Amino acid sequence: MNESDSERYAGQLEELGYTPTEDPELADVILMNTCCVRETAEDKVLGKIGEFKHLKTRNKDLILAVTGCMAQEWQDRLFKRAPHLDLVIGTHNIHKLIDLIKDKEGQKESHMLATEMEDNIFHAVPTKRFQKFFAWVPIMNGCNKFCTYCIVPYVRGREVSRPLEEIIEEIRNLAKEGYKEITLLGQNVNSYGLDFKDGTDFSALLYAIEDIDGIERVRYMTSHPKDMTFTMIDAIAQCKKVVSHIHLPVQSGSTELLKRMNRGYTTEHYEELVSYIREKMPQAVLTTDIIVGFPGETEAMFQETLDLLRRVRYDMAYTFIYSPRTGTPAATMDNQIPQDEKSRRLKRLADVQNEISLAYNVEMEGKDYEVIVEGPTKNDENHWFGRTRGNKMIIWENDGTSAVGDTIRVHVDKGQTWVLKGHVLKREEDCGRRNEVNAHDEAVSGSQGDMCR
């Protein structure tokens, strides 16, 4: 979501005539878009603000701005901490950047604060897309869940859904511009439309997107088990453009601990959702988030999480050691877990999950998958990568036959814990293989269900 916000900031800056530079020494505007989910993120931002102070000393006309979640949380405290800052812009005020920059250009000595929480935060602003074939599309903002460990509701505000017609218009325009894959963004996409109170929900949005020509894949992040319904699972299964990857954060396998987290569901309900997903989408790739060492987590509770992993068998789990976040209820709870114990539990959790992830990926060896080429890997320009519809990353040696954005077929040679290794299929290899269907992660011509109507 921060990347999406940054695209809208960048678009407004270009509208004002600014061009991007990688060299802070050359910049007339430096905008730091921030996160504050963890306090370590805030520490990094404060350090970066300090690094830029010398630039302000040398160039009095330089505009230094802090935006995003940390700006919303700290507000005018940032000016007190760093008087050399010029602008502090909160999460609901992205659309005001052009006016704020113009005002600042004319008022060199003033600090400008824009952090009021507006009811309507979706405004038409210029957007500079950072990628050519993959696009972020915000569908809602804010969160009403108030999980006891999370700062997001306090800095993003209450849930506000974007009108369905606006979302569809943006996606149609993206398709015309050649974008192949979109990702729908929201703190909790499963609650999309509930604030409209007219029957519009996430399922209705997916069905509407299905009819847009040109878009090959629809992803979304992130789901919340409390608001996920069987109807939504049906829509995901039926819409061919919606990918077969479902990220459903569970956080803990202990119902008692889930209650302390204020997650709003039980382990039993969560597993009912998983069972329905497996029934409707046997090929689904299921991933999750898990927190270890939450206050009050006993060894028995942690064991329940390990047991859940073994029952559900996720393709991948994003695992985190709980760290207290100032301003959240969990930070002041009794029975905080010692750091060394949290680290031991994380290691035990990873050992179980890595074994499951490796087994799934080994099963994919010898099969062919359709991927959209994303480009070279971070550390080796000779090896390129793309993702299956189930969001599995495949890496291959670049032979110069494909370009970024191409939709190609790749044969998996080796399954590893985190990635797959393979090679691009030549046309002659491709012949006669169009009807292969992988029972786990949908192969090239496998169907996710009937076309939505």
Side-chain angles (χ1 to χ4, degrees):
M1 296 195 72
N2 274 19
E3 286 191 40
S4 176
D5 290 348
S6 293
E7 290 181 339
R8 290 187 281 169
Y9 282 124
Q12 291 178 82
L13 288 171
E14 289 202 347
E15 184 82 1
L16 286 168
Y18 291 93
T19 56
T21 176
E22 296 296 322
D23 186 356
E25 300 281 346
L26 301 177
D28 298 297
V29 174
I30 296 177
L31 187 150
M32 291 162 273
N33 193 20
T34 64
C35 172
C36 67
V37 169
R38 295 180 183 83
E39 291 188 40
T40 52
E42 290 185 347
D43 293 339
K44 291 178 181 179
V45 173
L46 293 173
K48 185 62 68 174
I49 292 172
E51 289 178 26
F52 289 144
K53 184 176 182 178
H54 74 283
L55 299 178
K56 186 72 173 179
T57 302
R58 292 211 300 262
N59 178 9
K60 299 296 184 183
D61 293 332
L62 172 65
I63 297 175
L64 287 177
V66 174
T67 69
C69 292
M70 184 175 172
Q72 189 66 49
E73 183 195 16
W74 282 58
Q75 301 197 24
D76 55 3
R77 284 191 293 143
L78 277 170
F79 293 131
K80 296 175 182 177
R81 179 72 177 259
H84 56 287
L85 287 176
D86 297 291
L87 304 176
V88 172
I89 307 172
T91 54
H92 285 219
N93 295 271
I94 294 174
H95 61 288
K96 296 181 178 178
L97 181 64
I98 287 178
D99 290 338
L100 289 167
I101 292 288
K102 287 181 178 179
D103 290 345
K104 185 58 193 172
E105 288 172 339
Q107 302 177 42
K108 301 300 183 183
E109 301 303 321
S110 63
H111 294 160
M112 295 184 182
L113 178 70
T115 54
E116 62 270 26
M117 289 280 197
E118 299 183 358
D119 291 336
N120 176 25
I121 69 164
F122 294 104
H123 300 266
V125 296
T127 301
K128 176 181 174 58
R129 304 283 178 181
F130 295 153
Q131 300 185 71
K132 189 174 181 180
F133 299 99
F134 308 89
W136 309 113
V137 179
I139 67 169
M140 63 183 302
N141 189 76
C143 185
N144 294 345
K145 295 298 176 283
F146 287 91
C147 299
T148 55
Y149 53 80
C150 185
I151 197 72
V152 167
Y154 305 97
V155 294
R156 286 276 180 177
R158 303 293 76 75
E159 291 175 351
V160 179
S161 298
R162 186 180 178 191
L164 187 146
E165 297 77 13
E166 288 185 13
I167 299 171
I168 296 304
E169 181 181 4
E170 179 176 354
I171 296 172
R172 284 200 182 105
N173 290 334
L174 288 169
K176 292 175 183 177
E177 294 169 15
Y179 286 87
K180 288 187 170 185
E181 179 177 302
I182 61 167
T183 301
L184 308 176
L185 297 177
Q187 271 82 17
N188 174 16
V189 295
N190 301 129
S191 64
Y192 171 78
L194 298 184
D195 51 323
F196 295 149
K197 303 185 186 306
D198 62 0
T200 302
D201 65 2
F202 188 55
S203 303
L205 177 61
L206 294 181
Y207 286 125
I209 295 172
E210 183 72 10
D211 292 329
I212 300 176
D213 293 333
I215 299 298
E216 294 183 11
R217 293 181 180 178
V218 178
R219 300 190 187 276
Y220 52 91
M221 62 174 67
T222 293
S223 295
H224 194 295
K226 183 178 185 296
D227 293 325
M228 175 71 89
T229 66
F230 289 172
T231 300
M232 291 177 191
I233 295 170
D234 288 338
I236 294 166
Q238 291 168 11
C239 293
K240 288 186 176 180
K241 292 178 181 178
V242 179
V243 298
S244 55
H245 171 221
I246 296 181
H247 184 69
L248 196 62
V250 67
Q251 305 301 1
S252 173
S254 165
T255 294
E256 182 178 348
L257 206 61
L258 290 174
K259 186 174 181 179
R260 288 176 64 88
M261 293 178 174
N262 195 36
R263 291 292 288 173
Y265 54 86
T266 64
T267 304
E268 290 73 21
H269 176 66
Y270 183 91
E271 292 195 69
E272 287 176 2
L273 292 172
V274 170
S275 295
Y276 195 75
I277 291 170
R278 300 292 195 204
E279 175 188 341
K280 295 296 181 177
M281 303 173 61
Q283 78 284 0
V285 171
L286 192 62
T287 59
T288 197
D289 295 339
I290 295 175
I291 298 172
V292 300
F294 188 80
E297 181 186 58
T298 64
E299 173 61 27
M301 293 175 180
F302 175 68
Q303 189 61 51
E304 288 183 273
T305 299
L306 295 182
D307 293 341
L308 179 75
L309 281 188
R310 297 184 178 104
R311 290 195 303 273
V312 174
R313 293 186 62 79
Y314 297 101
D315 286 75
M316 183 183 296
Y318 299 88
T319 57
F320 307 91
I321 287 178
Y322 169 77
S323 58
R325 182 64 184 87
T326 302
T328 64
T332 58
M333 285 182 177
D334 295 333
N335 300 318
Q336 299 284 332
I337 309 300
Q339 186 64 35
D340 57 350
E341 178 58 28
K342 290 190 286 190
S343 298
R344 281 194 294 269
R345 290 179 184 178
L346 184 70
K347 172 65 167 56
R348 292 165 61 193
L349 187 77
D351 288 345
V352 172
Q353 181 56 51
N354 289 348
E355 182 179 339
I356 297 169
S357 297
L358 178 60
Y360 272 137
N361 288 349
V362 168
E363 288 179 7
M364 297 173 71
E365 293 177 357
K367 298 182 176 69
D368 308 333
Y369 297 89
E370 186 179 83
V371 305
I372 300 176
V373 180
E374 297 191 33
T377 61
K378 185 178 296 185
N379 300 319
D380 184 355
E381 293 189 357
N382 293 322
H383 285 84
W384 284 33
F385 75 99
R387 298 176 192 275
T388 69
R389 293 180 63 88
N391 207 35
K392 295 291 188 79
M393 180 187 291
I394 305 181
I395 298 174
W396 62 87
E397 188 171 353
N398 180 29
D399 60 3
T401 61
S402 56
V404 174
D406 285 352
T407 301
I408 63 172
R409 286 165 60 91
V410 179
H411 182 81
V412 175
D413 300 311
K414 179 70 174 177
Q416 299 180 347
T417 303
W418 300 108
V419 299
L420 305 161
K421 300 290 184 67
H423 67 271
V424 177
L425 289 174
K426 310 299 183 187
R427 290 189 180 275
E428 57 271 21
E429 291 182 84
D430 204 23
C431 293
R433 305 174 77 159
R434 288 287 173 178
N435 293 321
E436 294 182 7
V437 177
N438 175 12
H440 178 59
D441 183 356
E442 181 189 2
V444 174
S445 60
S447 171
Q448 280 190 262
D450 298 328
M451 176 67 79
C452 301
R453 297 299 181 192

